[in-house]
Amino acid sequence: MTIDDLRTRIAEEYGPDRLAVTVADIRRRAERGRRRRTAWAAAGVAAATVGVLAWPQGGVPTGVPLTTPPPSADAWTASYDEQCRAGWAAQPQSTGTTLPALRFDLRDKGRGLRIYTDGRVVVDCVRRDRGTPVEVGVLSIRESTVRSTAVDGVLADVGDGLPRFVGQDSVLANGYDRAGHVIGRAPAGTVRVDAVDPDGTVHQARLSGGLFLLWAPDGGLTQATVRAYTADRVIMEAPLRWFGGEAHGDRVAEICRDLADTALRQAGLAALPPRRFSWSTAEQSVLLYAGGREVLSCRQVSQNRVLAVAVAPAGTGSWQPMRSTSGGSSGRGWLIGRAPDGAVSGAAVLPDGTAVPLELSGGWFGAWWPIGPGDFTQRPVRIEISTATTVWTEEGGQVTRRPR
Amino acid sequence: MDDFAEFYLSGKDAVFRAVLAAGGDRAGAEDAVAEAYARAYARWATVREHPNPLAWVLRVALNVRRSVWRRLRREVLGDPPEQPAAGREPDGGLRRELAALPRRQREVVALRLLADLSVAETAELLGITEGTVNTHLHRAVQALRHRLHPTRLTGLKSTTEVA
């Protein structure tokens, strides 16, 4: 017997089970839920109003003992800290080590989110409210990374990309408001990061030491597109898209079109630019689009996942000759940039001295090269392109020209 | 018939069977599935655009079941029904032994074999890797092979399935 035999037996076993609930019942239940939520919201407003109205005019009267003192911020912090440490100690990955350094500490009313990291391990400690214990997880290890874009479980600098871990609440988002959080690596020179939900809600991130943290204590971020702003560009990374069935270039292109029309459009992408380059192996595909102000890379980052990143110049500028964007993951690096008029050939030089020939298409240059697993450093250090009369060089952000 | 009604009627029994097989009692499964569809209806304009609305409902239903268990754990100060229905389930051996599996294994069996989700869809829905889905399925099959009467599943062996 095989799994198919078991499938047949289970189907026979549960076949007679049917849900005896009508569509009308479902609609009534939905309406009851809506009224209940409305009532709760109204109760919350009333409680807040009562609190304000009851505030003693002229300050707290002296000589009246407070039999039930309100919890102080210090007590809240001490309790939270203690629970986070205990939660970490209970994790099998802690192996007796102390909790990594606290990097982010956010709170909203009775709720809190703490992120601890030593650069390798990322731990989140979530406090829902005062009445429930905290939940501690190791973001860089636990299985929720299926929604994350961190490369090999690491928040490494991957060029124009926003590798990130998604908090468990987002994974478990169930249609009602649930807090979500995202911790990620911002590209060098990032001054601001935000995220756009499918309904247009924008969440601002906190930045610290190259990392960013997005938190939506009232719900959101499950399917957000994350944006980073540097001095000269805006980088938009769509939520990871999973797909079933066989992976091939056409499927990736189809997903890319859909992401451009939905998540990336919501985040500011004008339209899907023309496709300039596409490369495929048996395991993965990279499609690079460029035109107007935007460059878009769509990459198959595992058997069933596609990652789309759009890059646009800051402000109203356009792509200048020799300006490029690059990235790398899953054993392949890629590059796309604006070619000078009349370009006929060129090469990108990697840190180890390897010269990767450039392909040219529609005024853009591109390249794709193999990199070792976990090697995030193999991005071009110099790009050289020749026209009939001139050799253009880009190195360290500087563009120079000399006669050929 | 509007498209929500069509969506509901075409998928409700499959979702119910999967949630029932994933664990818990029949009434709880009915309530969770009804609640999941009610939430889908409340935001149908969004859910209908979801890449896989049925998986959305399944996820909500399973989460509702887990929320009930968590609440019970807090209120009763006991363990959640991690192996909930063994000994209580009056139905046949397969149902009883399935209910005795760890929660994650039950969920994988329910989603893969009853709801007919792919490995990738199951992994995304449960928030685990595809490899872990296959591992749970493999272990579930192994356990059922040993627990069920030898004459009913003699030689049952696992195979690695790919989405």
Side-chain angles (χ1 to χ4, degrees), chain B residues 1 12 28 38 40 45 51 67 75 79 81 86 88 115 118 120 122 142 144 158:
Chain B
M1 185 185 297
K12 69 179 179 67
S67 298
E75 291 173 355
D79 291 331
R88 279 190 275 144
S118 69
T122 304
Q142 293 278 15
L144 289 174
S158 65

Side-chain angles (χ1 to χ4, degrees), chain A residues 1 3 7 9 13-15 17-19 21 27 29 143 146-147 172 174-176 242 304, chain B residues 2 8 12-13 17 26 31 35 39 43 59-60 63 95 127-128 130 132 152-153 157 159:
Chain A
M1 275 194 186
I3 284 178
R7 190 195 311 269
R9 279 203 58 188
E13 179 74 36
Y14 285 89
D17 292 299
R18 296 181 184 280
L19 183 64
V21 179
R27 288 182 169 136
R29 186 175 182 132
E143 293 167 331
V146 292
R147 270 202 187 273
L172 292 176
N174 62 357
Y176 276 167
W242 287 66
N304 299 99
Chain B
D2 59 54
Y8 174 70
K12 69 179 179 67
D13 291 333
R17 288 169 195 141
R26 184 181 188 86
D31 188 61
E35 177 64 18
R39 294 183 189 185
R43 49 189 65 196
R59 173 156 50 195
V60 173
N63 285 339
R95 214 175 266 235
I128 59 179
E130 293 176 39
T132 306
R152 299 182 68 180
L153 270 179
K157 61 175 184 284
T159 57

Side-chain angles (χ1 to χ4, degrees), chain A residues 72-84 107 114 127:
Chain A
S72 69
D74 286 342
W76 193 90
T77 301
S79 161
Y80 191 6
D81 190 62
E82 186 183 330
Q83 291 186 60
C84 292
R107 65 180 63 177
R114 288 182 162 206
R127 188 173 201 168

Side-chain angles (χ1 to χ4, degrees), chain A residues 228-239:
Chain A
Y229 303 80
T230 70
D232 67 347
R233 61 188 60 190
V234 181
I235 301 157
M236 296 177 274
E237 189 167 303

Side-chain angles (χ1 to χ4, degrees), chain A residues 1-51:
Chain A
M1 275 194 186
T2 67
I3 284 178
D4 282 335
D5 297 315
L6 180 58
R7 190 195 311 269
T8 302
R9 279 203 58 188
I10 288 180
E12 289 172 354
E13 179 74 36
Y14 285 89
D17 292 299
R18 296 181 184 280
L19 183 64
V21 179
T22 66
V23 179
D25 291 335
I26 296 295
R27 288 182 169 136
R28 277 193 290 273
R29 186 175 182 132
E31 178 58 23
R32 283 198 303 274
R34 188 191 64 78
R35 284 200 297 266
R36 193 168 56 243
R37 288 192 298 278
T38 303
W40 274 106
V45 171
T49 306
V50 168

Side-chain angles (χ1 to χ4, degrees), chain A residues 50 87 107 117 174 189 206 226 266 301 316 320 329 364 378 397:
Chain A
V50 168
R107 65 180 63 177
T117 181
N174 62 357
R206 275 79 166 179
V226 183
Q266 178 74 274
V301 292
T316 57
Q320 297 300 307
S329 65
W364 297 82
Q378 287 286 18

